[in-house]
Amino acid sequence: MKQWWRGLQQRERMIVGVAGLLLGLVLLHSLVWEPWRRSAQALAEETAQAEDDLAWMREAVTRLPVSPTIAPAAAGSGNLVTRMNRLIGQVGVRAQMKQMKPVSDRELRLRFETVAFDKLLQLLKDTRVQGLAVRELRVLPADEPGRVNATLVLNDGG
């Protein structure tokens, strides 16, 4: 390689050097810069979509009717697990509940799989009527249309 380089004239060496520099810049652009730019753009689009979804969910919760089987007077009666078991049964999402785990005396973590989104919203609305606060909520789309996987942490504010 050195012998080949030495065999080139000064002008040819400059052309090969500039071509190598341009090749390096093209490789840097296509292997580093462009993939980074595309992933940043995709993340920005996902964030915008998630914000739109959150705004829609908040608006949808306010439109849900309060379940007639749940009376606000029942708020505070029984421990948190018992109250949530009753609510889950009344809303009809017991089969989709995969985990109910007390985090503390006043907090409960629930995990649902392939739950109907409207049923989840109804459950959230009813927990609010019961005086419970949603401290954490994570909702991801399930494979079936209209269904989601959700994890929530409820806090007994009372």
Side-chain angles (χ1 to χ4, degrees):
M1 185 71 145
K2 284 184 179 183
Q3 185 179 8
W4 172 81
W5 181 256
R6 288 184 192 140
L8 296 177
Q9 294 180 6
Q10 180 66 26
R11 191 174 84 180
E12 292 172 332
R13 286 183 196 159
M14 185 176 293
I15 290 172
V16 170
V18 169
L21 179 66
L22 288 175
L23 178 64
L25 290 174
V26 167
L27 287 174
L28 179 69
H29 180 267
S30 63
L31 296 177
V32 176
W33 178 258
E34 195 58 29
W36 176 80
R37 188 194 62 78
R38 272 185 293 212
S39 67
Q41 182 179 4
L43 285 175
E45 290 171 2
E46 287 177 25
T47 301
Q49 182 64 46
E51 288 171 349
D52 290 345
D53 291 347
L54 178 61
W56 179 85
M57 283 185 221
R58 286 183 174 156
E59 193 270 329
V61 166
T62 61
R63 288 185 287 141
L64 284 174
V66 175
S67 176
T69 60
I70 312 275
S77 62
N79 72 22
L80 185 57
V81 173
T82 304
R83 290 163 55 198
M84 278 312 298
N85 266 325
R86 186 171 50 241
L87 280 175
I88 288 166
Q90 290 170 339
V91 173
V93 292
R94 189 172 309 284
Q96 291 80 26
M97 184 183 67
K98 300 302 177 192
Q99 182 182 36
M100 179 187 291
K101 180 179 177 185
V103 177
S104 69
D105 291 343
R106 303 179 73 77
E107 284 189 347
L108 187 64
R109 180 179 308 274
L110 298 160
R111 185 172 56 88
F112 296 92
E113 289 182 3
T114 62
V115 64
F117 185 68
D118 58 341
K119 294 276 191 176
L120 179 65
L121 290 178
Q122 184 65 49
L123 179 67
L124 292 172
K125 180 82 168 189
D126 290 349
T127 57
R128 192 166 148 198
V129 170
Q130 289 290 311
L132 302 174
V134 177
R135 190 173 64 83
E136 291 179 26
L137 175 64
R138 181 177 184 102
V139 180
L140 298 170
D143 292 335
E144 300 174 38
R147 297 196 169 264
V148 295
N149 297 325
T151 303
L152 58 144
V153 176
L154 297 173
N155 184 293
D156 184 3

